[in-house]
Amino acid sequence: MTMRLTGHTDYALRVLLYLGAHPGEWAISPDIARAFDISFNHLSKVVNRLGHEGLVEVKRGRGGGICLGLQPKDIIIGDVVRRFEGPLALVECQEESGDCVIAKACTLNSVLADAGRAFFSVLDGVSLEDLLDGRRSALRRLLS
């Protein structure tokens, strides 16, 4: 079994890393898509959402682009994942519509809820700045 973040969350984190590796610079989505070899169409949707969430600033039109909307220290990875993933439901019984015949006697739900809290506890302790610390130059080289 593989637990994975959605593609949109993955792309959102990549965009933030790209922009964080290029502080104070405006980037354009086609360059980011090329750097990561990912779909420009999907990336555009993610950039739009990042803009609506206030995580990036978006300038439209000729001479436009995107840059970080907050300081890297203020972008908490757990917050980004929550914004893109929504509530973490590892099994059906954790969903609002979940219906399980053993729910009244089962403790699996609470164990998995604890695991979800631990997952976000780790991500909540990490900022974009933490991910970039001492790695900006290396990231810039790899993304060129």
Side-chain angles (χ1 to χ4, degrees):
M1 179 184 118
T2 302
M3 185 180 127
R4 261 186 203 195
L5 299 175
T6 64
H8 278 220
T9 304
D10 178 17
Y11 285 11
L13 295 170
R14 291 182 196 211
V15 167
L16 294 172
L17 283 166
Y18 185 98
L19 296 174
H22 299 82
E25 297 178 26
W26 288 84
I28 57 174
S29 295
D31 288 347
I32 298 172
R34 263 192 304 280
F36 287 109
D37 192 25
I38 57 179
S39 163
F40 170 73
N41 290 333
H42 286 93
L43 184 74
S44 295
K45 293 174 188 173
V46 169
V47 166
N48 186 39
R49 174 103 181 262
L50 286 166
H52 285 295
E53 295 286 342
L55 295 167
V56 301
E57 187 177 334
V58 179
K59 273 193 205 173
R60 302 209 181 275
R62 190 171 187 84
I66 58 174
C67 70
L68 289 177
L70 300 169
Q71 292 297 313
K73 69 179 177 56
D74 297 325
I75 298 175
I76 304 303
I77 302 306
D79 183 48
V80 175
V81 172
R82 276 188 196 86
R83 289 178 191 216
F84 277 81
E85 293 290 324
L88 182 63
L90 297 174
V91 291
E92 185 180 343
C93 63
Q94 291 181 308
E95 297 171 0
E96 285 184 32
S97 62
D99 188 24
C100 178
V101 297
I102 64 169
K104 291 180 182 175
C106 181
T107 58
L108 180 60
N109 184 6
S110 65
V111 170
L112 292 175
D114 289 346
R117 283 189 290 278
F119 173 76
F120 277 113
S121 176
V122 170
L123 295 180
D124 288 340
V126 179
S127 70
L128 179 60
E129 182 63 34
D130 296 328
L131 296 178
L132 295 166
D133 191 31
R135 297 172 191 88
R136 279 187 175 90
S137 296
L139 283 170
R140 284 179 74 106
R141 278 192 308 276
L142 291 169
L143 294 171
S144 298

